[in-house]
Amino acid sequence: MKEKVVLAYSGGLDTTALIPWLKETFDYEVVCCCVNCGQGNELDGLEERAKLSGASKLYIEDIVDDFCDNYIMPCVEAGAVYEHKYLLGTSMARPAIAKKLVEIARKENAVAICHGATGKGNDQIRFELGIKALAPDIKIIAPWRMTDVWTMQSREDEIAFCQAHGINLPFDAKHSYSRDRNLWHISHEGLELEDPAQAPNYDDMLVLSVTPEKAPDKETEVTMTFEAGVPKTLNGKAMKVSEIITELNKLGGENGIGIIDIVENRVVGMKSRGVYETPGGTILMAAHEQLEELILDRETLETKKKLGSQLAQVVYEGKWFTPLREAIQAFVESTQKYVTGEVKFRLYKGNIIKAGTTSPYSLYNESLASFTTGDMYDHHDADGFITLFGLPLKVRAMKLAEVESQKQTND
């Protein structure tokens, strides 16, 4: 009986060419696994394609709700954003996919897992760190790093290889954007984006959105409620998180929300330019922040901001299955206990405009915030506070003046 390899299968040209290559190079039985994180019609026709290409079996595993509840929401609650812009769409999905690949490998008693990530990108790190953390005994095959046996360097090479093995599929050699899609976002790389001096060709590129210029000349009103940091209703309708993100994608896409053009620092040390469409995610992050600022005290909010930035780094680098991620998430979860309430906002030509926030746990006190004197605050109390708060500055200034005076005396 042949040994088995589980192939992370997308149905694209790269992973389709990998099926006969794995059989020919290692004499493996190839079991394909496509993990559905919400990539839509990209899943159409996969089973026929995998079998035609020589796979013995194809698993299509739906993890959309798991992805939303256990990967997306911890990052939303933390406010995890990489390099001020990137909402971690691909980064969050890779550990979820790696976990499922390991589950299928165990089920099939496979000795190896293969992925098609390139040797320059971040995904090779994310997949492999996830697999190593969950199944250190399983071999990892990364063809794009195995240049002695993986000799194909272009789409033309891969098409010719497939045709030589009797696989005639609807692929062509035309170069297009390199994309990654899931429920949270879609990323675009390649073509004119490889030159930072060039403007993105949004008319040809965008999939989920329109540009703000093409958005309607009217506002879209939105109301959301949260319980303990988790969204529960959208415009009065109770929904699970995946349904809320789906609907926010529609609303955000129509209004030009969440399109970013970024030059980011990859884990492997190079800079990479990409355009990300994250319409629903951008709205959800903003709505959560809008509610949270009403509830969390200053020191907790400041600490959480620092840890949120660190979590973004951890997730971006593929270190999801680590004690550090678990510890940061535990802190964040403790801050979400009272993040409950309602947020209202309006969407207009790429903007998210606040329209009111309420919470039973709001720390905003109208009496304290008012310019008129309230019962809880005596303006005279500020005298002692400012004296003590400013004492280090005053002492330093006095010392510098003393030293300067001594210099003048000596002169």
Side-chain angles (χ1 to χ4, degrees):
M1 183 179 292
K2 292 184 178 181
E3 292 183 326
K4 293 181 182 179
V5 60
V6 170
L7 170 63
Y9 187 63
S10 68
L13 178 58
D14 289 348
T15 54
T16 297
L18 279 173
I19 296 173
W21 181 84
L22 285 166
K23 295 174 70 175
E24 187 175 278
T25 306
F26 298 101
D27 197 29
Y28 282 142
E29 176 185 340
V30 180
V31 176
C32 289
C33 180
C34 176
V35 183
N36 177 17
C37 298
Q39 50 266 52
N41 58 13
E42 292 180 10
L43 302 176
D44 295 347
L46 287 196
E47 184 163 5
E48 180 183 0
R49 187 175 301 171
K51 295 287 182 66
L52 180 63
S53 304
S56 65
K57 190 182 296 186
L58 169 67
Y59 288 88
I60 298 180
E61 298 291 303
D62 187 336
I63 65 164
V64 171
D65 286 327
D66 175 50
F67 177 45
C68 291
D69 297 340
N70 299 312
Y71 297 85
I72 288 176
M73 281 313 303
C75 291
V76 171
E77 291 173 355
V81 180
Y82 182 71
E83 295 188 341
H84 309 295
K85 290 184 179 181
Y86 174 42
L87 301 188
L88 301 171
T90 301
S91 310
M92 295 185 296
R94 294 318 188 218
I97 294 171
K99 184 178 179 181
K100 183 55 67 175
L101 291 172
V102 168
E103 288 179 14
I104 298 302
R106 294 298 192 206
K107 182 177 179 178
E108 290 286 337
N109 294 314
V111 299
I113 293 174
C114 177
H115 67 80
T118 71
K120 287 185 176 181
N122 295 316
D123 282 344
Q124 58 177 339
I125 298 168
R126 296 166 184 154
F127 280 134
E128 295 187 32
L129 263 59
I131 295 166
K132 289 176 186 295
L134 299 173
D137 56 305
I138 291 181
K139 180 181 178 181
I140 299 171
I141 299 175
W144 283 97
R145 299 203 304 265
M146 303 168 68
T147 53
D148 53 333
V149 287
W150 176 264
T151 58
M152 291 171 274
Q153 299 297 314
S154 66
R155 290 181 66 84
E156 289 88 350
D157 290 345
E158 291 175 325
I159 291 170
F161 178 79
C162 287
Q163 290 175 342
H165 288 78
I167 305 168
N168 294 297
L169 293 169
F171 298 120
D172 60 51
K174 181 182 177 183
H175 191 266
S176 61
Y177 294 105
S178 174
R179 292 184 166 110
D180 177 76
R181 181 176 182 175
N182 57 46
L183 188 67
W184 187 247
H185 88 154
I186 184 166
S187 64
H188 311 268
E189 294 180 346
L191 298 185
E192 78 278 356
L193 297 180
E194 294 184 348
D195 180 1
Q198 297 294 316
N201 186 356
Y202 288 123
D203 288 340
D204 288 342
M205 180 192 307
L206 297 179
V207 174
L208 302 175
S209 317
V210 297
T211 59
E213 296 87 346
K214 293 184 177 180
D217 290 325
K218 64 177 183 177
E219 297 174 334
T220 299
E221 296 183 353
V222 182
T223 301
M224 293 181 65
T225 63
F226 289 79
E227 292 179 14
V230 178
K232 294 297 182 180
T233 69
L234 175 61
N235 291 333
K237 183 179 179 180
M239 303 182 189
K240 57 184 180 180
V241 175
S242 60
E243 293 169 337
I244 288 175
I245 293 173
T246 299
E247 183 62 21
L248 289 178
N249 274 335
K250 178 178 178 294
L251 297 174
E254 291 170 349
N255 286 279
I257 307 292
I259 303 167
I260 67 162
D261 177 359
I262 181 176
V263 176
E264 68 194 60
N265 290 292
R266 282 183 176 171
V267 181
V268 293
M270 67 184 71
K271 288 187 180 291
S272 173
R273 188 208 189 176
V275 167
Y276 296 99
E277 296 178 70
T278 321
T282 301
I283 297 170
L284 181 54
M285 294 280 276
H288 181 270
E289 182 180 328
Q290 180 176 329
L291 178 60
E292 202 173 52
E293 67 183 15
L294 204 63
I295 295 162
L296 297 188
D297 63 275
R298 186 179 70 168
E299 290 182 332
T300 300
L301 201 57
E302 287 178 350
T303 302
K304 182 174 168 293
K305 185 176 180 180
K306 294 173 186 174
L307 288 175
S309 178
Q310 188 171 8
L311 179 64
Q313 187 90 14
V314 167
V315 175
Y316 188 84
E317 293 177 353
K319 299 176 182 176
W320 185 274
F321 300 107
T322 60
L324 178 57
R325 192 274 303 167
E326 292 174 1
I328 295 174
Q329 187 172 331
F331 168 82
V332 172
E333 286 176 354
S334 74
T335 69
Q336 299 301 294
K337 183 177 180 181
Y338 300 111
V339 181
T340 295
E342 180 182 83
V343 295
K344 296 179 179 180
F345 47 90
R346 298 189 299 270
L347 309 177
Y348 182 68
K349 290 190 174 293
N351 297 291
I352 303 170
I353 305 163
K354 290 182 181 179
T357 317
T358 57
S359 170
Y361 303 107
S362 172
L363 298 183
Y364 185 92
N365 186 292
E366 194 168 341
S367 176
L368 287 172
S370 173
F371 284 103
T372 59
T373 302
D375 296 336
M376 295 180 63
Y377 189 85
D378 186 335
H379 289 283
H380 295 97
D381 292 341
D383 287 339
F385 171 78
I386 294 171
T387 298
L388 294 175
F389 196 64
L391 190 59
L393 284 74
K394 183 176 181 179
V395 169
R396 180 175 182 274
M398 291 171 63
K399 176 56 67 175
L400 291 175
E402 178 185 327
V403 170
E404 187 63 29
S405 175
Q406 188 64 43
K407 283 183 180 179
Q408 292 177 0
T409 300
N410 292 338
D411 290 343

